[in-house]
Amino acid sequence: MGTSTHQTIAEFLNKSAIEQLAPQAWRDSKVIPLYKGEGDLYDCNNYRSIAVSPPFAKLLMSIMN
């Protein structure tokens, strides 16, 4: 990566932080049901949800909060 790429990324991150608004794709998460390991596999109460987000988005959002 060249200097111009680093500068572009820095500008993007700074603008996102100042406006406190990340791109929509970073705010969307994929929710996956995870079996708890006990009980009937067909009972919805035996699952918990896990939200999977892009790692870079998690980092930026934790800095902004």
Side-chain angles (χ1 to χ4, degrees):
M1 282 193 213
T3 304
S4 63
T5 304
H6 290 195
Q7 184 178 2
T8 303
I9 292 171
E11 288 173 4
F12 168 74
L13 294 176
N14 286 334
K15 184 177 179 185
S16 295
I18 290 168
E19 295 177 3
Q20 294 188 348
L21 185 63
Q24 183 64 39
W26 287 10
R27 290 183 274 149
D28 294 341
S29 297
K30 183 181 239 183
V31 178
I32 299 174
L34 182 64
Y35 180 61
K36 292 180 182 178
E38 299 176 355
D40 186 14
L41 286 171
Y42 298 105
D43 184 3
C44 294
N45 294 319
N46 294 328
Y47 288 83
R48 62 186 177 115
S49 59
I50 301 291
V52 179
S53 302
F56 199 71
K58 288 181 184 182
L59 177 65
L60 179 64
M61 297 304 282
S62 68
I63 291 170
M64 288 177 19
N65 289 332

